[in-house]
Amino acid sequence: MPRQSRQDISKERKNQILDAATTVFAREGFHDARMEDIADESGLSKGALYLYYKSKDAIIAALLRRLFALELRGLRAVTEGGGGATERLLAMTAMFATDFDRMAFAMPVMLEFSAVAARQRSVRQYLGESLEKYAAVLSGLIQDGVASGEFRPVNVEGVAMTLTALGEGVVLLWVMVPRAMHLREQLEAALRLVLEGIGVR
Amino acid sequence: MPRQSRQDISKERKNQILDAATTVFAREGFHDARMEDIADESGLSKGALYLYYKSKDAIIAALLRRLFALELRGLRAVTEGGGGATERLLAMTAMFATDFDRMAFAMPVMLEFSAVAARQRSVRQYLGESLEKYAAVLSGLIQDGVASGEFRPVNVEGVAMTLTALGEGVVLLWVMVPRAMHLREQLEAALRLVLEGIGVR
Amino acid sequence: MPRQSRQDISKERKNQILDAATTVFAREGFHDARMEDIADESGLSKGALYLYYKSKDAIIAALLRRLFALELRGLRAVTEGGGGATERLLAMTAMFATDFDRMAFAMPVMLEFSAVAARQRSVRQYLGESLEKYAAVLSGLIQDGVASGEFRPVNVEGVAMTLTALGEGVVLLWVMVPRAMHLREQLEAALRLVLEGIGVR
Amino acid sequence: MPRQSRQDISKERKNQILDAATTVFAREGFHDARMEDIADESGLSKGALYLYYKSKDAIIAALLRRLFALELRGLRAVTEGGGGATERLLAMTAMFATDFDRMAFAMPVMLEFSAVAARQRSVRQYLGESLEKYAAVLSGLIQDGVASGEFRPVNVEGVAMTLTALGEGVVLLWVMVPRAMHLREQLEAALRLVLEGIGVR
DNA sequence: AATGAATGAGTATTCATTCAT
DNA sequence: CATGAATGAATACTCATTCAT
């Protein structure tokens, strides 16, 4: 029976900390969250946090990476799936909706990262790249659709940007007006609207 | 020549303070901005801030109201303008783009409000209502288009929501990836895509 | 009809201020009372206070003098009254009780001066002298009583001190346990007890 | 040899803080004393104060309790002592004098509590109860004296109040006119005067 | 004389971080 | 590795005082 290596324990502790940090940050915001809150939530001691992360900022930075790395997985899986472009876009949207539903509790943290991004180049760059990866995946799918004759010969990059924006925007509305919005339905409706626009008549 | 009344001075000071606060909050974020920074930026003294606002939070609350009240003006003007629905949607988009271009420096503050909204009911409610007003204006325009036969008989509310999301999303992308985005062009392209989707063939 | 001289107005204003200060200090204490509170209570403006007193401390100092000067009047009147020593002591006690009853609202201020006296030589000296004046008046009366054979040949100074302490102590108890104490009755009872002790049998 | 338990350390720290607070409050008064002064005086850091007391007010409240709890010890011990009522009253007075001599440095703080009591019900209540306990002890002793025929059948409660007031008053005079007063002698002289008054002839 | 807007020194409190155990 | 007591830098806010009007 293999024991946990030092590495494994460290990794486990770090995840424990980031999980706790997500919960606390979502509730209190980056600043109002106290290291002690994170310690309590994680079941570790205040001192222990510093064994795994150099500072509060280091936790935030690590969380940024973990949070926005996760989301890409779904996209990648879909890209490699079969079916027509429309079908794959719909599947991607469904996955997107599922991911965000699961991550709903972390939305305040994601939005706070957006806010920080607006004033810190490094964070902005990181998030910008993340968005561009999304857009790139979408570009690929749309390009496929154009190539296969499913879609009209549109400005592929532009449409990809529009769809990316749409995704972000719908999520934002979902957070802001949760009662009036079904994330999945709204996302699919929005996508279909655009598909109508780019579809062959 | 009438001198400034007490009222006028108070109003002027409050605007002075909110202007300074916007600049400082955009640079430092709500928390890291110090009252002294706002005082310096406004040309007033620290104590004077408290003559006009009870606390830092009161400044933030006043800023919330001022920031999101401004944006509605453009929309209202357009609603009452003449022309077809498509034409008016395009005009509205142009105005939207102009407003945001002018308010570019305040974008970090607006995004921070979004982040706060995600964890504070009162702010969320306020922003949610603001978004719903946008959506309502859009609903009206789309309804007009459907009535006039310009658009197909679509789910008016749904399309309005989609357009609202699109606007928010494009702005978000614009902030995150400013180099790759021309706000005005991207907004118009996105709108046209949807118009294609709902247009009569 | 004689107009008020500049002097009179100034004196009137100063009394207005000290009256207001007494009320406010009694309610809030020297420190928590704000100059603005005193201004409001006096019906003057904040700036006006500074026309008549150089500072908050100057108001407190003036109040100290006015407050402890007042109390001596009664004593003096009695000293010069007729009757035996016992009779005059009883009369003095009655007057003392009347004075304090009238000044009840100012008791918190008087006690605060005692507290300040305990750590500030100048105030301590002032109050000490005030107490010694009381004691001196009492000494005179007791001496009279001894001379007239009303009292036994006691340590006049010591008895005067005891009576002074008794007065102060009864007032203190009266403030602390107002329900259980009738100032006048308690004072008289205490005095009679001592008179028993020093009286000729 | 058992080490200090967490409890012990906490208790020690709290005493450390109250000791320092007493010294600093006596010198500066409650308001002018800065938390930093107390920290310096206690040898702890400013932050440490807050580990043991929630606020400056909490320190003051704790000090109130400690200061006026201490005084009762002597009284209780005497009550249970043997001897006649006169003898025990004299012993009690001696102990009272000794206690106050030892606590001389804290007198300004005690007087400040009296001043606060005059305007704050909660403090007034606490001090009032403390005084009533003194008076109750005295009542017991006097009652004993009356029962044993040592004293005349006097108004026991009234005499107890008088003696309590006498104690308070003598202490007040002692603070105000320290040079002219020997606390112990003056207290004993005052007590003897009253004893003469209530004694059987 | 009078006003009250403006100033800015002063301080209680919080909390990220350290480190002795 | 782990703990949590201790530290002290940082800052919102108050209010006595000033002074232009």
Side-chain angles (χ1 to χ4, degrees):
Chain A
M1 191 164 53
R3 300 249 247 88
Q4 281 187 310
S5 72
R6 205 165 300 238
Q7 282 288 326
D8 291 337
I9 291 182
S10 175
K11 195 145 209 168
E12 186 184 321
R13 287 275 186 276
K14 286 187 171 188
N15 274 323
Q16 216 174 325
I17 292 169
L18 295 187
D19 288 345
T22 307
T23 300
V24 177
F25 286 154
R27 192 176 61 226
E28 311 282 355
F30 290 153
H31 180 267
D32 287 347
R34 288 144 61 240
M35 289 297 271
E36 182 139 25
D37 296 329
I38 299 176
D40 290 349
E41 180 74 31
S42 70
L44 296 174
S45 73
K46 206 159 20 129
L49 299 183
Y50 286 87
L51 293 175
Y52 298 99
Y53 289 103
K54 188 186 158 189
S55 68
K56 188 177 178 180
D57 274 349
I59 292 178
I60 294 173
L63 191 54
L64 171 66
R65 289 190 297 274
R66 193 178 76 158
L67 214 48
F68 290 91
L70 271 180
E71 298 176 32
L72 283 176
R73 291 185 195 163
L75 282 182
R76 297 247 161 87
V78 166
T79 311
E80 295 152 11
T86 297
E87 196 178 337
R88 280 148 72 195
L89 278 169
L90 283 166
M92 183 165 125
T93 298
M95 185 155 297
F96 188 80
T98 303
D99 278 354
F100 272 83
D101 249 336
R102 188 162 33 77
M103 299 294 287
F105 76 99
M107 285 307 304
V109 182
M110 300 179 85
L111 287 186
E112 190 158 7
F113 274 124
S114 296
V116 173
R119 49 175 199 274
Q120 287 190 16
R121 176 185 298 279
S122 62
V123 176
R124 180 164 60 249
Q125 214 148 38
Y126 189 84
L127 289 193
E129 282 166 16
S130 173
L131 287 171
E132 282 171 342
K133 283 178 197 163
Y134 270 96
V137 172
L138 286 165
S139 284
L141 286 180
I142 294 159
Q143 182 60 59
D144 287 354
V146 171
S148 71
E150 247 178 299
F151 303 151
R152 289 187 289 124
V154 291
N155 174 346
V156 171
E157 308 294 333
V159 173
M161 272 298 192
T162 296
L163 286 180
T164 304
L166 209 36
E168 294 292 316
V170 168
V171 167
L172 194 69
L173 255 70
W174 175 57
V175 171
M176 234 55 96
V177 202
R179 299 184 198 194
M181 294 269 307
H182 275 275
L183 182 61
R184 179 179 306 269
E185 292 169 15
Q186 191 66 38
L187 274 171
E188 191 177 321
L191 174 61
R192 284 190 188 284
L193 214 54
V194 172
L195 289 176
E196 291 279 343
I198 65 176
V200 175
R201 323 262 154 119
Chain B
M1 192 164 51
R3 304 256 244 82
Q4 282 187 309
S5 74
R6 197 146 316 179
Q7 280 291 324
D8 290 339
I9 290 183
S10 176
K11 199 148 208 167
E12 184 184 324
R13 289 277 181 277
K14 286 186 171 189
N15 275 322
Q16 221 173 322
I17 291 168
L18 294 188
D19 288 345
T22 307
T23 301
V24 177
F25 286 154
R27 193 175 62 224
E28 312 282 354
F30 291 152
H31 181 267
D32 286 347
R34 288 147 59 243
M35 289 301 270
E36 184 142 26
D37 296 331
I38 299 176
D40 290 350
E41 181 73 32
S42 70
L44 296 172
S45 71
K46 204 154 28 111
L49 300 184
Y50 288 90
L51 289 179
Y52 298 99
Y53 289 103
K54 189 183 160 187
S55 67
K56 188 176 176 179
D57 272 352
I59 292 180
I60 293 173
L63 193 53
L64 172 66
R65 289 190 297 275
R66 194 178 76 158
L67 217 47
F68 290 90
L70 271 180
E71 296 176 34
L72 284 176
R73 290 185 195 165
L75 284 182
R76 297 249 160 85
V78 167
T79 311
E80 295 151 13
T86 298
E87 196 178 337
R88 281 148 74 196
L89 279 169
L90 283 166
M92 183 164 127
T93 298
M95 187 156 294
F96 188 81
T98 302
D99 279 353
F100 273 83
D101 248 335
R102 187 164 33 77
M103 298 294 286
F105 76 98
M107 286 307 303
V109 181
M110 300 179 86
L111 288 187
E112 190 158 7
F113 275 124
S114 297
V116 172
R119 46 176 202 278
Q120 287 190 15
R121 176 185 297 279
S122 63
V123 176
R124 180 164 59 249
Q125 210 149 38
Y126 189 84
L127 289 193
E129 283 165 16
S130 174
L131 286 171
E132 282 172 342
K133 283 178 197 164
Y134 270 97
V137 172
L138 287 167
S139 284
L141 287 181
I142 295 159
Q143 182 61 57
D144 287 355
V146 170
S148 71
E150 247 178 298
F151 303 149
R152 289 187 287 124
V154 290
N155 173 348
V156 171
E157 308 294 333
V159 173
M161 272 297 192
T162 297
L163 286 179
T164 304
L166 208 37
E168 294 294 315
V170 169
V171 167
L172 194 70
L173 255 71
W174 174 58
V175 172
M176 235 53 97
V177 202
R179 300 186 197 190
M181 294 266 308
H182 279 275
L183 182 60
R184 179 179 306 268
E185 292 170 14
Q186 190 65 39
L187 275 172
E188 189 177 323
L191 174 61
R192 284 189 188 283
L193 213 54
V194 173
L195 288 176
E196 291 278 342
I198 65 176
V200 175
R201 321 266 155 116
Chain C
M1 190 167 54
R3 297 249 250 87
Q4 279 187 309
S5 73
R6 205 166 300 239
Q7 283 288 326
D8 290 339
I9 291 183
S10 176
K11 195 144 207 167
E12 185 183 323
R13 288 273 186 278
K14 286 187 172 188
N15 274 322
Q16 216 175 324
I17 292 169
L18 294 188
D19 288 346
T22 306
T23 301
V24 177
F25 286 154
R27 193 175 59 225
E28 312 281 355
F30 291 153
H31 181 267
D32 287 347
R34 288 144 62 242
M35 289 299 271
E36 182 140 26
D37 296 330
I38 299 176
D40 290 350
E41 180 74 30
S42 70
L44 297 174
S45 73
K46 206 159 20 132
L49 300 184
Y50 286 88
L51 293 176
Y52 298 99
Y53 288 103
K54 187 186 159 190
S55 67
K56 188 178 177 179
D57 273 350
I59 292 178
I60 294 174
L63 191 53
L64 171 66
R65 288 189 298 274
R66 194 178 75 158
L67 214 48
F68 290 90
L70 270 181
E71 298 174 33
L72 282 176
R73 291 183 195 166
L75 283 182
R76 297 246 161 86
V78 167
T79 310
E80 295 152 13
T86 298
E87 194 179 339
R88 281 149 74 195
L89 277 169
L90 283 166
M92 185 167 123
T93 297
M95 186 157 295
F96 187 81
T98 303
D99 279 354
F100 273 84
D101 248 334
R102 187 165 31 78
M103 298 295 285
F105 76 99
M107 285 305 304
V109 182
M110 300 179 85
L111 288 186
E112 190 157 8
F113 275 123
S114 296
V116 172
R119 48 176 199 273
Q120 287 188 16
R121 176 185 299 277
S122 63
V123 176
R124 181 165 56 248
Q125 213 147 39
Y126 189 84
L127 289 193
E129 282 166 16
S130 174
L131 287 170
E132 283 172 340
K133 285 178 196 162
Y134 271 96
V137 172
L138 286 166
S139 283
L141 286 181
I142 294 159
Q143 181 62 58
D144 287 354
V146 170
S148 72
E150 249 178 296
F151 304 150
R152 289 188 287 126
V154 291
N155 174 348
V156 171
E157 308 295 332
V159 173
M161 273 297 192
T162 296
L163 285 180
T164 305
L166 209 35
E168 294 293 315
V170 168
V171 167
L172 195 70
L173 255 70
W174 174 55
V175 171
M176 232 56 95
V177 201
R179 300 183 198 192
M181 294 270 305
H182 275 277
L183 183 59
R184 179 179 306 267
E185 291 170 14
Q186 191 66 39
L187 275 172
E188 191 177 321
L191 174 61
R192 283 189 190 283
L193 214 53
V194 173
L195 289 175
E196 291 278 345
I198 65 177
V200 175
R201 321 264 154 112
Chain D
M1 193 164 51
R3 304 256 246 83
Q4 281 186 309
S5 73
R6 198 146 317 180
Q7 280 291 325
D8 290 338
I9 290 182
S10 177
K11 199 147 209 169
E12 183 184 326
R13 290 278 181 276
K14 286 187 171 188
N15 276 321
Q16 220 174 323
I17 291 169
L18 294 187
D19 288 345
T22 306
T23 301
V24 177
F25 286 154
R27 193 176 60 226
E28 312 281 355
F30 291 152
H31 181 265
D32 287 347
R34 289 146 58 243
M35 288 300 271
E36 184 141 26
D37 295 331
I38 299 176
D40 290 349
E41 181 73 31
S42 70
L44 295 173
S45 71
K46 206 152 29 110
L49 300 184
Y50 288 90
L51 289 179
Y52 298 98
Y53 290 103
K54 189 183 161 188
S55 66
K56 189 176 176 177
D57 272 352
I59 292 179
I60 294 174
L63 193 52
L64 172 66
R65 288 189 298 276
R66 194 177 74 158
L67 218 45
F68 291 90
L70 271 181
E71 297 175 34
L72 283 176
R73 290 184 195 165
L75 284 181
R76 296 245 160 88
V78 166
T79 310
E80 295 152 12
T86 298
E87 195 179 338
R88 281 148 76 195
L89 279 169
L90 284 166
M92 183 165 128
T93 298
M95 187 158 294
F96 188 80
T98 303
D99 279 354
F100 273 83
D101 248 335
R102 189 165 30 80
M103 299 295 285
F105 75 99
M107 285 307 303
V109 181
M110 300 179 87
L111 287 187
E112 190 157 8
F113 275 124
S114 296
V116 172
R119 45 174 203 277
Q120 287 190 16
R121 176 185 297 280
S122 62
V123 176
R124 180 163 59 249
Q125 212 148 39
Y126 188 84
L127 289 194
E129 283 165 15
S130 174
L131 286 171
E132 282 171 342
K133 284 177 197 165
Y134 271 97
V137 173
L138 287 166
S139 285
L141 287 181
I142 295 160
Q143 182 60 59
D144 286 354
V146 171
S148 71
E150 248 177 300
F151 303 149
R152 289 188 286 125
V154 291
N155 173 349
V156 172
E157 309 294 332
V159 173
M161 272 298 191
T162 296
L163 286 180
T164 305
L166 208 36
E168 294 293 315
V170 169
V171 167
L172 194 71
L173 256 70
W174 174 58
V175 172
M176 234 53 98
V177 202
R179 297 185 200 191
M181 295 267 306
H182 279 276
L183 183 59
R184 179 178 306 267
E185 291 169 15
Q186 190 67 39
L187 275 172
E188 191 178 321
L191 174 61
R192 283 190 189 283
L193 215 53
V194 173
L195 289 176
E196 291 280 342
I198 65 177
V200 175
R201 321 266 154 116

